[in-house]
Each structure stands twice: as C-alpha cells, then as structure tokens.
Amino acid sequence: MKNMIKSFASDNNAPVHESVIRAIAEANQGDAIGYGDDVHTLKAEQKFREQFGKDIAVYFVCTGTGANVSALDHITRSYHAVICSNKAHLHQDECGAPEKYIGCKLLRLPSEDGKIKPEQMRPLMHSLGFPHHAQPKVISITQATELGRVYSVEEIREISRFANEYDLYLHMDGARIANAAASLNVSLEEMTKFAGVDVLSFGGTKNGAMAAEAVVFFNQDLAQEYEYTRKQSMQLISKMRYISAQFSALLSNDLWLQNARHANAMAALLADKISDISGVEITQKVETNAVFAMLSPKAIEKLKRKYFFYMWDATRNEVRWMTAFNTTEEDIENFVDALKEAL
Ligand SMILES: Cc1ncc(COP(=O)(O)O)c(C=O)c1O
C-alpha cells in the first residue's frame, strides 16, 4: 500500500487505542497462567458482568468470524438452518466458514439495509417438522448491520418473540455493537439480554482493540460445554491475558462508548458535509459509523488515488466510507475537499 493519506475503508484500519496498548503493556509483567486462568481474564469477565449482569457466560476469542462461527456451531446440529440477511457478514464475508465449520444451511433473506423482519421469516417455518428440509434453529441478526443501520430495541424484541414462538435461538453479530448502543443511546444489556438475545458475538476490535472479541451467552443452558467448542474452533488463545486486558480497558470509564460515539459523530459530520454536494447520493440513513454513497466511477477512481476505501456495490457505483474512534474533524474536512475536487 503506497503513500496513503488516510483510510476511510473500515474501522479495522484504525490503530489500537492508546489506553488499550497501555493495558496490554501493564499486563506484560511476569508470568501468568495461560488459556484464561489468570487475574486479567477474571477482571475482564467481571467488566462484562458490569455491563450485562451477573447471569452471563462470557468467553474471549480473537476474531469476529470465530465468534460467530463457534457460537453458531455450538448451538446447532448439521440438519439445522440459520436465518440471516443476504447482507450478513456470516454469509458474505466469512469465506464459507459457516458452511464448513457449522455445516448448517444459511437461509438468507433479502434486505436492503441488512435488517430482517419476522414477516419475512414466517414462510420458512413451514419447513419445521418436515424431514426433507433443513430445520430453522437460529435467527442471526447483525447490530449494527453491515449497512450501518440499527435495529431498535423493539425490533429486536419482536424478532425474539418470533424466535420464541418457533423455539428458535436468537444470535446477534455485535461486531459493531458499541456503535449501535451509542446510536440508540441504550445500555448494552437493554439491546441484548433484555431484548431476548440468546447469544452475542461482542466486538472489541473495531472499537479500539486488537483481535479482542467475545462470545456472550445470556441463555446459560446454551453455554454448557462451549469451552470445548471454542478450543475445537481454534479460538482458545494461549496468552489470553493480553486479550482480557484489552477488554478491561475498553469497558472501563466508558471508553467503548466514547470511541463509538466519536466514530458515529464523524460519520454524521461527513454525511452532513456531503449531503448537498451534487454528484453524490447517500444511499443509507447514517445511524452509526458508515456512510454509503453513489458517485460516478470517474470520481471514485480519482478519490481512490488519495484515500483508501471500498467499493460496496460496483453494479451501482456505491462505495462505503467508514469512520473510527481516531477519525478527526480535520480528516473529514480534507476528505470532503478531495471529494469535491474529484467530482
Ligand atoms: C458485521 C461483521 N461481523 C463480524 C466481523 C468480524 O470479522 P473478523 O473475522 O474479520 O474479525 C466483521 C468485520 O468486518 C463485521 O463487519
């Protein structure tokens, strides 16, 4: 990658937050028992309990794909099906890992904004009890969605009620759960446990950590023996203390929330500044830290010479610009200037 000014491609391209780096350095003293049997991990688990209540089971893993796949693998059998949106990371961006490791069918529902609704799922319930069809067992929703959109707490509750009606589990891919909570201005607990989520993939990496993700079970029965699934899924990290220390930093003094609020605010600022520029059309409501927009291929090409970002949908020249905890107002100003020049 050459001479890049700034990336607006993904919050994955942001650095690790300095408080997280400090926490890693502080944990880097002497020996600690490996695989999570250490004081740093105990402390980080406690931090999760402060957010989600005592009645949870939490396990640390190192990738979001690993969190999703191992959690879903654990709660399904191979003849089950997982319902998700056709925009789900699970379906589009996990290189077939769900198919390979979970072994389940993914039943993808069409969605423009990454959200799915109970009325779309109802027809799939006809398969229940019919031995020729994969049996729907889990609904997996992404909060915030791959399109930067957010389910309201009531929308999640509605999906959860539907799941209960048919004895399905509700999984949430929360790779950007912090951005969603900041956007809705609700607690993490309200949006997950109290809304009926059974198991959550909790994302730390996009929020300022380095390879720190977690699987949080609210349905404790489902957590039974997950530790074996985690190991089989190659997600049990030997030097766990360095992952745990990162969570302790993010979940202290609301750092997770500040980071998410800032990233969201920068996306809102970008959207505001480009909203009346002719030649750019914002395609999704900006609710978290992503701006999706359509512009001419020529302008995209020019802008890409200065900034790194992804084409989202080449068929309609739609790009994704993403902000992170480290995006500054000046970064936005410069980007908007470069955009105007490119147009
Ligand atoms: C919605 C969503 N889920 C999960 C992930 C986790 O991916 P990874 O395995 O790269 O950590 C991502 C990363 O981009 C994501 O956007």
Side-chain angles (χ1 to χ4, degrees):
M1 191 68 39
K2 56 179 191 324
N3 203 20
M4 204 56 70
I5 302 177
K6 174 84 193 160
S7 165
F8 278 86
S10 172
D11 35 18
N12 281 329
N13 296 4
V16 176
H17 194 278
E18 59 185 29
S19 300
V20 173
I21 291 286
R22 220 177 298 124
I24 293 172
E26 281 164 13
N28 196 32
Q29 308 286 331
D31 290 349
I33 296 177
Y35 300 104
D37 203 4
D38 63 275
V39 289
H40 304 282
T41 303
L42 263 183
K43 184 176 163 197
E45 287 170 356
Q46 189 48 37
K47 290 282 176 195
F48 270 84
R49 292 200 174 88
E50 284 169 17
Q51 296 294 334
F52 292 106
K54 288 197 180 83
D55 49 343
I56 59 161
V58 57
Y59 300 88
F60 302 147
V61 296
C62 53
T63 72
T65 300
N68 286 343
V69 171
S70 63
L72 290 170
D73 182 35
H74 190 66
I75 62 177
T76 53
R77 300 184 75 166
S78 58
Y79 52 81
H80 286 148
V82 176
I83 300 169
C84 62
S85 98
N86 62 347
K87 302 292 192 303
H89 193 268
L90 199 61
H91 164 55
Q92 286 204 314
D93 290 299
E94 300 190 355
C95 193
E99 287 82 350
K100 177 171 178 173
Y101 288 100
I102 308 173
C104 276
K105 210 173 177 57
L106 295 182
L107 298 174
R108 287 115 43 194
L109 297 172
S111 172
E112 289 303 316
D113 56 9
K115 294 206 248 177
I116 50 177
K117 298 180 180 68
E119 61 259 31
Q120 292 176 281
M121 303 173 202
R122 204 170 292 277
L124 301 175
M125 299 303 117
H126 290 305
S127 295
L128 287 171
F130 187 55
H132 304 281
H133 288 185
Q135 298 296 291
K137 191 65 197 167
V138 186
I139 302 167
S140 178
I141 59 174
T142 310
Q143 177 77 323
T145 75
E146 292 74 5
L147 279 298
R149 303 297 298 272
V150 169
Y151 287 92
S152 68
V153 173
E154 187 43 39
E155 283 173 322
I156 299 168
R157 284 212 184 105
E158 235 175 83
I159 295 174
S160 159
R161 279 195 290 270
F162 178 85
N164 288 338
E165 194 180 330
Y166 291 97
D167 202 19
L168 313 180
Y169 302 129
L170 179 56
H171 165 257
M172 179 182 278
D173 175 348
R176 295 191 181 86
I177 193 170
N179 302 88
S183 173
L184 290 176
N185 200 21
V186 298
S187 70
L188 292 169
E189 201 174 22
E190 203 174 332
M191 212 174 50
T192 56
K193 190 171 85 175
F194 295 156
V197 172
D198 291 298
V199 57
L200 165 72
S201 299
F202 180 97
T205 308
K206 296 169 201 314
N207 187 236
M210 171 173 53
E213 309 282 315
V215 175
V216 185
F217 289 92
F218 305 112
N219 179 337
Q220 303 247 31
D221 292 340
L222 288 182
Q224 297 297 320
E225 304 199 338
Y226 171 76
E227 60 195 300
Y228 306 114
T229 303
R230 176 175 61 171
K231 178 68 185 183
Q232 274 201 330
S233 308
M234 296 156 279
Q235 290 288 316
L236 177 61
I237 306 122
S238 55
K239 295 202 175 178
M240 182 74 85
R241 63 172 138 162
Y242 300 104
I243 305 295
S244 309
Q246 296 180 56
F247 280 126
S248 290
L250 279 183
L251 297 177
S252 293
N253 307 316
D254 282 345
L255 179 60
W256 66 275
L257 187 56
Q258 286 169 36
N259 285 354
R261 277 191 183 141
H262 179 81
N264 290 0
M266 290 300 103
L269 181 67
L270 174 58
D272 183 49
K273 286 195 178 292
I274 65 176
S275 60
D276 55 359
I277 300 178
S278 86
V280 189
E281 188 189 334
I282 296 178
T283 54
Q284 291 286 342
K285 190 172 170 201
V286 177
E287 294 180 320
T288 53
N289 63 326
V291 177
F292 289 81
M294 292 196 297
L295 59 162
S296 74
K298 228 175 170 177
I300 294 173
E301 171 75 34
K302 275 194 196 160
L303 194 58
K304 276 199 156 179
R305 285 184 213 143
K306 286 194 172 172
Y307 287 91
F308 181 56
F309 58 89
Y310 292 120
M311 178 68 89
W312 182 257
D313 182 350
T315 63
R316 53 189 215 141
N317 302 311
E318 185 183 29
V319 297
R320 181 184 78 172
W321 296 319
M322 223 169 200
T323 54
F325 74 86
N326 68 323
T327 309
T328 64
E329 288 188 18
E330 197 188 348
D331 292 333
I332 301 289
E333 304 279 351
N334 292 339
F335 183 74
V336 172
D337 287 346
L339 173 63
K340 284 180 182 161
E341 209 181 296
L343 287 162

